[in-house]
Amino acid sequence: MKDIRPEGEKLIMNLMPPHRPLPAKSLKRSLVIYLMIGSLLPLAIIVVITYYTIYSILENKIQDGISASLKQEAAALENTINNLDFASKQFALDGQIVGEVSAFLEEGQVSRKLSIMSDINNKITLVNFTNPYLGITAYIIPEAADPVLFTNFNIGTDFSMEGLPTLMSYNGASYYGPHRTKYRQSENMVFSSLRAVQTSGQQHVYIYLESNYNLFRKILNPQSYGMAVSHLLANEAGQVTFVENPDTPADVANMQWEDASRMYADYKGYMLFRYQSVQGWQLMATVRKADFNSEIYTWFVRSACLALATLLFAILLGRSIWRQVYRPLRQVNHQIVQMAENREAPVSYTNVQEFDSLLGSFEDMKDRINELFAAAEQNEKHRSQLEIEKLLSQINPHFLHNTLNTVQWLARMNGQKEIDRLVTLLVKVLHYNLGKQSIIVTVGEEIEALRNYMELQRIRYDHEFEFDVEFSDDVLDAAIPRFLLQPLVENAIYHGSSESTGRVGITISSSPDHKDIIVLEVRDNGAGIEPQAAARLLEDDPLSERRGLGIGLSYVNRLLLRFYGNAAKLDIESSPGAGTRVVIQIPRKTKEELL
């Protein structure tokens, strides 16, 4: 059905894209989703990676911190034991003090006893003064009614070693603790040692030492850990002798360590750390896992708050961008809708640079469309004239053919055979050159047209040249552009004449090397040209040559380039006195491939 719409309306419809219904999508929702993804996805990846990294770092830092603090406390405790060991050896093995103790036990005079006691007390005071880590120092006879012989503090006559928690036996002495000091007026926890003194009498004398009354509190200092820590102390038999926090579960305090080399363990909601001393005892620290992970939990909560803040920011940013984009989009849509109603209306801008740039392009398009409308109206006026000219271009060849046919019949009626033959050949040549058949013909059709053309030229030139056409049967059905060889044949006739009879030869065959290549050759026996001149005919701009071989070669070159591109090859071989040979090589193709 013929389209009878006005040209302007058809032009608008061609410029506008076809309407394709698409599923409705919310720009606001898309912007918010994209911004949330863009904001939260990198944050989530960073949080996940950072969580595992920071968790490991914080866990190792806390573990190392607790272990370091525990080692520091254990070192102080070891130093306390060593001080007790050193001091007890002074009092138990020093010959002078031991001799005085023996003399005191054996002396019967009271005055002499008091003198010896004074000397011993002075030595005790001196040792205690030079060793601030010591507390009570006393020589005792456990089986006596008054077991205390000498002491620097008032420890009473009810002194007894029973009930003291045994810590270990080390370097010939027994160690106890931690326990309450034997000093009556104090509640401090101390460590103590008991070493036998080698006196000359029959009585068993021991030196009893306590650590400084304030030392234990300084050694076990939970505040240095930065979290709630409870200490446990186990003796050399592995029995827990001291629990700092009475709320610590008994099974946690008495946990058996399966791996003796392991220094920390996770057990029933507690993290346990221990230090094994070379002296035989073990110092342990217990931390609730909630307290142990408090710093990690704090970091996690902060990360969650940051993620939530980022989410809220993304939502607010999405709404803001939506407002900034949606209003100009409505303005652009309004301008597009207005164009259909009034193409001359000016464009209103949005004061947003990107959208104003789009609207500027839209205004340029409106101006172009208006120009196209004007051009379409002008073309409409010339349409009738173009149709008449088209009819004339079709009528003129038809009229020429009819006239030649009339001349042909008149020649036959009057017995003019030469004229009849001449007109017949001319009609065939014109029909081939000016006819309505396709621009693509077969090699056979081109050969037939060349024969008619050359016969016509022989009549014109009074048979002053000869021609021959050679071809292979396998190339007759191959397709080539129409009127490809006639310009070359015309050049051979016009410029290939010689003093003797001219000869024009045409050869069409398949290439001996490649069956898919067709070789077309036109040669003459004329005067020829210089090889350099022949080469220039192929290199120079065809438009610069208006005489000689250049005109025909220009047309043939354009045909080859149009239908074969770089796959075609055109060569000229010529030298003075040896004629000219033009060779074309083209790929074998069908009509469908060339059209």
Side-chain angles (χ1 to χ4, degrees):
M1 183 175 180
K2 186 177 180 181
D3 192 351
I4 58 174
R5 289 177 296 178
E7 289 297 323
E9 183 179 349
K10 286 191 248 180
L11 179 61
I12 287 291
M13 296 303 294
N14 291 332
L15 289 173
M16 296 179 64
H19 176 68
R20 298 176 183 176
L22 296 174
K25 293 183 179 180
S26 171
L27 179 61
K28 175 183 178 182
R29 182 183 304 170
S30 299
L31 284 174
V32 171
I33 291 175
Y34 293 155
L35 283 171
M36 289 174 61
I37 293 175
S39 301
L40 295 182
L41 182 59
L43 179 63
I45 295 174
I46 293 174
V47 167
V48 170
I49 296 175
T50 306
Y51 173 76
Y52 289 103
T53 304
I54 296 298
Y55 185 88
S56 177
I57 293 174
L58 290 177
E59 186 178 40
N60 292 333
K61 186 195 79 170
I62 296 171
Q63 289 179 358
D64 293 343
I66 294 176
S67 297
S69 298
L70 188 64
K71 287 180 181 180
Q72 186 176 2
E73 292 175 342
L77 183 54
E78 284 181 340
N79 189 50
T80 299
I81 300 298
N82 288 330
N83 287 330
L84 290 175
D85 177 63
F86 178 74
S88 66
K89 287 178 180 179
Q90 282 184 297
F91 288 113
L93 302 179
D94 185 86
Q96 184 179 2
I97 300 179
V98 172
E100 289 179 349
V101 173
S102 298
F104 177 82
L105 294 174
E106 296 173 356
E107 183 62 47
Q109 278 188 332
V110 175
S111 61
R112 181 63 180 162
K113 277 183 176 288
L114 291 175
S115 177
I116 296 173
M117 180 184 295
S118 176
D119 290 340
I120 293 174
N121 286 332
N122 289 334
K123 288 181 174 59
I124 291 174
T125 302
L126 178 63
V127 172
N128 279 85
F129 178 78
T130 58
N131 195 336
Y133 295 101
L134 294 180
I136 292 177
T137 301
Y139 284 97
I140 63 173
I141 302 175
E143 62 271 15
D146 185 4
V148 180
L149 292 177
F150 311 105
T151 182
N152 58 343
F153 286 97
N154 183 16
I155 59 177
T157 58
D158 58 346
F159 177 85
S160 174
M161 298 295 295
E162 294 181 3
L164 296 183
T166 300
L167 184 62
M168 64 180 177
S169 295
Y170 178 68
N171 287 345
S174 298
Y175 293 87
Y176 305 90
H179 60 83
R180 180 183 170 185
T181 179
K182 293 298 182 177
Y183 182 52
R184 291 181 177 182
Q185 299 177 359
S186 176
E187 300 290 335
N188 291 319
M189 303 296 290
V190 296
F191 289 93
S192 62
S193 68
L194 185 68
R195 182 184 294 274
V197 180
Q198 302 298 323
T199 60
S200 58
Q202 297 297 322
Q203 293 177 312
H204 297 288
V205 180
Y206 296 88
I207 181 68
Y208 174 79
L209 297 176
E210 285 186 0
S211 61
N212 186 290
Y213 71 94
N214 198 33
L215 185 61
F216 180 75
R217 185 170 62 252
K218 291 182 179 180
I219 292 175
L220 302 184
N221 183 16
Q223 286 74 23
S224 64
Y225 290 85
M227 61 184 67
V229 175
S230 175
H231 291 91
L232 294 89
L233 186 64
N235 59 22
E236 59 185 358
Q239 299 173 345
V240 176
T241 61
F242 171 77
V243 179
E244 185 177 31
N245 186 357
D247 295 332
T248 303
D251 55 347
V252 173
N254 298 317
M255 188 196 79
Q256 298 297 321
W257 294 75
E258 296 179 358
D259 186 356
S261 62
R262 192 171 183 184
M263 293 296 102
Y264 68 91
D266 182 354
Y267 183 73
K268 293 187 177 181
Y270 284 83
M271 295 295 296
L272 280 74
F273 297 82
R274 70 171 178 168
Y275 177 85
Q276 287 183 309
S277 174
V278 294
Q279 296 173 349
W281 49 267
Q282 299 180 42
L283 179 63
M284 292 178 284
T286 63
V287 185
R288 292 182 181 273
K289 289 192 68 175
D291 297 331
F292 181 83
N293 294 324
S294 61
E295 189 173 353
I296 298 175
Y297 292 155
T298 301
W299 175 85
F300 182 77
V301 170
R302 291 175 180 175
S303 298
C305 293
L306 177 62
L308 181 61
T310 305
L311 175 62
L312 294 176
F313 175 75
I315 294 175
L316 294 176
L317 184 61
R319 289 179 58 86
S320 177
I321 294 178
W322 171 72
R323 291 178 179 177
Q324 293 295 323
V325 173
Y326 183 66
R327 292 176 182 174
L329 278 178
R330 292 185 61 184
Q331 180 68 19
V332 172
N333 180 67
H334 175 72
Q335 296 298 321
I336 294 174
V337 172
Q338 189 181 30
M339 177 180 173
E341 300 175 355
N342 185 3
R343 290 184 289 107
E344 302 296 334
V347 173
S348 299
Y349 290 91
T350 62
N351 294 326
V352 178
Q353 182 179 358
E354 289 76 11
F355 286 100
D356 286 348
S357 176
L358 177 63
L359 288 172
S361 300
F362 180 73
E363 186 173 25
D364 294 339
M365 185 188 72
K366 285 180 63 175
D367 295 339
R368 179 60 179 161
I369 289 175
N370 291 331
E371 293 175 1
L372 291 175
F373 267 112
E377 292 174 358
Q378 187 69 21
N379 291 336
E380 190 74 22
K381 296 179 181 179
H382 295 291
R383 182 189 239 179
S384 300
Q385 182 179 353
L386 292 175
E387 290 181 351
I388 293 173
E389 292 178 357
K390 181 179 178 181
L391 291 174
L392 289 176
S393 66
Q394 296 175 352
I395 292 172
N396 287 337
H398 181 69
F399 174 75
L400 180 59
H401 279 285
N402 290 341
T403 302
L404 290 175
N405 286 331
T406 302
V407 174
Q408 182 183 18
W409 283 107
L410 288 175
R412 290 179 181 177
M413 291 175 61
N414 294 318
Q416 300 291 333
K417 295 182 179 181
E418 290 296 327
I419 297 175
D420 179 23
R421 184 165 177 268
L422 177 63
V423 173
T424 300
L425 291 174
L426 180 58
V427 169
K428 290 181 178 180
V429 171
L430 290 175
H431 178 74
Y432 183 78
N433 292 347
L434 302 178
K436 297 180 182 180
Q437 61 181 330
S438 172
I439 189 65
I440 304 302
V441 297
T442 63
V443 172
E445 292 172 339
E446 183 77 0
I447 291 175
E448 182 182 357
L450 285 176
R451 282 176 171 166
N452 292 331
Y453 174 74
M454 296 181 75
E455 285 290 344
L456 185 62
Q457 294 296 331
R458 290 185 77 239
I459 295 174
R460 175 184 176 189
Y461 289 99
D462 196 17
H463 303 278
E464 291 182 355
F465 69 91
E466 298 178 358
F467 73 92
D468 61 89
V469 180
E470 298 177 1
F471 55 86
S472 301
D473 293 337
D474 61 333
V475 301
L476 293 179
D477 294 332
I480 60 173
R482 186 176 66 169
F483 206 59
L484 176 63
L485 294 179
Q486 184 172 320
L488 302 179
V489 172
E490 183 178 358
N491 282 338
I493 295 173
Y494 289 167
H495 307 290
S497 61
S498 62
E499 295 180 357
S500 59
T501 302
R503 179 174 295 278
V504 176
I506 302 170
T507 302
I508 305 176
S509 62
S510 298
S511 172
D513 299 328
H514 301 282
K515 295 300 181 182
D516 292 334
I517 301 297
I518 298 177
V519 180
L520 303 98
E521 178 182 334
V522 178
R523 59 189 178 277
D524 62 67
N525 62 343
I529 59 176
E530 294 289 340
Q532 294 81 1
R536 284 197 298 271
L537 289 174
L538 296 176
E539 296 174 357
D540 292 344
D541 183 0
L543 296 177
S544 66
E545 293 285 350
R546 296 302 180 185
R547 295 179 298 173
L549 291 172
I551 298 176
L553 287 175
S554 174
Y555 171 77
V556 172
N557 253 330
R558 287 198 296 271
L559 275 183
L560 294 177
L561 184 62
R562 163 65 176 84
F563 289 99
Y564 299 100
N566 295 329
K569 184 177 181 182
L570 175 63
D571 292 319
I572 301 177
E573 299 177 3
S574 182
S575 60
T580 302
R581 179 172 173 263
V582 181
V583 180
I584 300 175
Q585 296 184 31
I586 57 175
R588 183 191 297 267
K589 291 188 178 182
T590 63
K591 285 187 176 182
E592 290 76 12
E593 292 174 333
L594 286 180
L595 288 175

